[in-house]
Amino acid sequence: MQGDSMWLTIMGIIIIGSIVGLLIAKKISPVVGMILIPSIGALLLGYGIKDLVKFFNSGLGSVMSVVIMFIFAIIFFGIMTDSGLFKPIVKRLILMTRGNVVIVCIVTALIGMFAQLDGAGAVTFLLSIPALLPLYKALNMNKYLLILLLAISAAIMNMVPWGGPMARVASVLKVKSVNELWYGIIPVQLIGFVLVLIFATYLGFREKKRIKKAIDNGEVEPTLNIDIHRLVKNYERDQDIKFPVRGRAFKHGWVIWANVLLTIIVLVMMLANVAPPEFAFMIGVAIALVINFPNVDEQMNRLKAHAPNALMMAAVIIAAGMFLGVLEETGMLKSIALNFIKIIPDAVGPYLHIIVGFFGVPLDLLTSTDAYYFALLPIVEQTASQFGINPVSTAYSMVIGNIVGTFVSPFSPALWLAIGLAEANMGTYIKYAFFWIWGFAIVLLGIAVLIGTVTI
């Protein structure tokens, strides 16, 4: 059965379908599903343990650099959060709003971008929502608008190499340098930032009009003098509770500036291709620990504090290495693509990646992020390549079409945290935000096609 194309196709579909179905039903974790199910499938096809080891080694080799980068990137930005690096930025931005609804919306988007620099959605919402929710309440602004603006701005920032989606794509395409993958999508990311600010401005004027109408109808009280400084003090107190460890940053002012300089150097090393991301972040972590926590016990405590987040994603990517290794080395992916291509009309084939990207946000609601990138992307990439589509172009289309919807999916644990922090309802939020987010994703994908990032 090993070399039979039809059996390989059937088993490949069973493996992918089982993983997606069980992930959606929340019956297994991604790590369990992507290790056990492909292994069982390969054994049923007649492969042995030695073959599985070979498949794993092949898959691991393609994801190892991504794993290392992810571990050290999360720890690095975790230490920066511990030191309070982002706190002054958020504080300054809140003071800039001066209680103006439109400016509040723009600032919300800016805070979402800065806070998402660490690639962790949970930290983004912990940094942002406690700071902005009192302001939104004081101005009679919709709290679902707050989550929507943070969700879109954080999603665009999440295109960075140490963000989950790009790491997953690099694993699937077996790209050695995530940086190279990122360079191609930077123009779209920059345009995305500009669009987010324009979108925030539009929603700000729309919200201002809504509030005025509500005040005129007597539904809410007029907002007079908002004490921004008091709101900032409350925010600082809340952050000290949520992030109690600040190292020496606030005892010695130079530490903050050293952290700023170190962060800039690490990012420049990556952007200028002086060093690969995993190396830059590894060196950055070592220096950051010495600067902020000279005591050895404190250094170990900080590593332990951020290890769960770092290792969780690393474990998922390593498991994906096993999954992709089995599907690639056995020929399942190729067989699925070759058989799938027979039923796709020739007129549709060259646009397959665009079509899937177009439905990226709805697919995020129907699948999980892991299922989208590790199960769907390989099939689309293999099939589209039969029509001459560059695998990287396919990946870009699927990332751009999907990434904006990262924080509208109930499969996102970080979104549940945001809903809790904002005292909101998940169903109401999805109803409020879904079409805005999907529309934004379609516009961004269209721009990517126009500028040539996604080719047809």
Side-chain angles (χ1 to χ4, degrees):
M1 284 198 296
Q2 288 183 22
D4 191 303
S5 175
M6 186 52 67
W7 277 114
L8 288 173
T9 300
I10 293 169
M11 185 57 73
I13 292 171
I14 290 171
I15 288 171
I16 292 167
S18 300
I19 291 173
V20 172
L22 290 170
L23 283 175
I24 291 172
K26 296 183 179 178
K27 296 295 184 183
I28 54 168
S29 70
V31 172
V32 172
M34 288 191 289
I35 291 174
L36 288 185
I37 294 175
S39 299
I40 293 169
L43 292 172
L44 289 174
L45 285 172
Y47 292 96
I49 299 298
K50 286 184 179 179
D51 295 312
L52 286 179
V53 172
K54 187 179 77 174
F55 301 156
F56 173 68
N57 287 335
S58 170
L60 185 65
S62 67
V63 302
M64 205 60 223
S65 61
V66 177
V67 170
I68 296 168
M69 179 209 67
F70 220 100
I71 291 172
F72 285 102
I74 289 176
I75 293 173
F76 178 80
F77 283 109
I79 293 168
M80 292 300 108
T81 301
D82 289 338
S83 72
L85 179 66
F86 303 112
K87 187 174 168 182
I89 299 172
V90 175
K91 178 181 171 182
R92 187 80 52 174
L93 287 169
I94 294 171
L95 290 170
M96 280 171 56
T97 66
R98 298 183 180 180
N100 183 300
V101 171
V102 178
I103 297 175
V104 167
C105 288
I106 295 169
V107 164
T108 301
L110 289 170
I111 289 174
M113 292 176 199
F114 282 114
Q116 187 63 25
L117 258 174
D118 69 342
V123 174
T124 298
F125 295 126
L126 280 170
L127 280 168
S128 309
I129 292 177
L132 293 166
L133 186 60
L135 186 59
Y136 271 67
K137 285 181 177 178
L139 293 169
N140 294 318
M141 294 177 69
N142 193 333
K143 59 190 174 185
Y144 293 102
L145 175 61
L146 165 61
I147 306 173
L148 168 62
L149 290 172
L150 289 174
I152 290 184
S153 55
I156 299 297
M157 180 57 80
N158 214 30
M159 289 182 186
V160 291
W162 55 92
M166 294 304 283
R168 289 176 175 91
V169 169
S171 304
V172 172
L173 297 188
K174 297 184 178 178
V175 176
K176 292 295 181 184
S177 172
V178 193
N179 263 12
E180 291 177 17
L181 202 59
W182 182 42
Y183 290 153
I185 210 170
I186 285 176
V188 177
Q189 189 176 24
L190 293 175
I191 292 169
F193 288 142
V194 175
L195 285 180
V196 165
L197 296 178
I198 294 171
F199 183 56
T201 304
Y202 166 73
L203 289 182
F205 280 110
R206 187 170 173 269
E207 185 69 358
K208 194 173 182 179
K209 188 177 178 182
R210 183 195 68 79
I211 293 168
K212 185 180 182 301
K213 186 178 178 182
I215 291 171
D216 291 342
N217 292 340
E219 295 169 12
V220 295
E221 291 294 320
T223 54
L224 300 171
N225 297 316
I226 305 299
D227 190 345
I228 296 292
H229 292 280
R230 182 173 60 81
L231 290 174
V232 168
K233 284 181 181 176
N234 290 341
Y235 163 68
E236 287 182 317
R237 188 171 63 248
D238 178 84
Q239 290 298 290
D240 287 337
I241 293 169
K242 287 189 169 66
F243 301 98
V245 181
R246 294 297 185 191
R248 296 187 293 166
F250 294 133
K251 292 178 185 176
H252 305 287
W254 66 267
V255 176
I256 284 285
W257 292 109
N259 285 329
V260 170
L261 183 62
L262 178 61
T263 303
I264 291 170
I265 290 171
V266 168
L267 294 177
V268 168
M269 282 175 71
M270 291 171 49
L271 285 167
N273 221 10
V274 174
E278 59 271 23
F279 179 84
F281 280 119
M282 188 171 68
I283 297 296
V285 165
I287 296 171
L289 285 171
V290 172
I291 291 173
N292 292 278
F293 307 100
N295 183 286
V296 174
D297 289 337
E298 284 184 336
Q299 290 177 8
M300 294 307 295
N301 285 336
R302 287 302 86 207
L303 288 172
K304 288 175 185 174
H306 300 297
N309 284 337
L311 293 178
M312 181 176 70
M313 192 63 208
V316 169
I317 294 174
I318 290 171
M322 180 67 180
F323 168 73
L324 295 168
V326 170
L327 265 66
E328 286 276 4
E329 296 297 316
T330 58
M332 288 186 208
L333 270 184
K334 190 174 181 182
S335 294
I336 292 171
L338 290 174
N339 284 293
F340 190 39
I341 206 170
K342 293 175 184 175
I343 60 172
I344 294 177
D346 289 342
V348 174
Y351 306 99
L352 179 63
H353 59 311
I354 306 288
I355 294 167
V356 176
F358 183 91
F359 291 103
V361 172
L363 284 168
D364 215 33
L365 264 70
L366 298 173
T367 64
S368 66
T369 304
D370 291 311
Y372 182 83
Y373 288 104
F374 292 134
L376 187 59
L377 174 57
I379 295 176
V380 177
E381 181 266 312
Q382 287 277 332
T383 307
S385 65
Q386 304 297 320
F387 290 94
I389 303 299
N390 189 316
V392 173
S393 182
T394 299
Y396 285 159
S397 180
M398 290 185 64
V399 168
I400 295 164
N402 169 269
I403 202 167
V404 181
T406 300
F407 300 119
V408 75
S409 169
F411 290 109
S412 168
L415 179 58
W416 283 103
L417 174 64
I419 294 295
L421 289 170
E423 302 163 8
N425 175 273
M426 178 64 84
T428 306
Y429 167 69
I430 292 174
K431 185 180 177 182
Y432 177 88
F434 176 75
F435 286 104
W436 286 119
I437 287 176
W438 191 13
F440 192 96
I442 291 169
V443 169
L444 200 59
L445 179 60
I447 290 170
V449 173
L450 287 174
I451 66 175
T453 301
V454 174
T455 55
I456 297 174

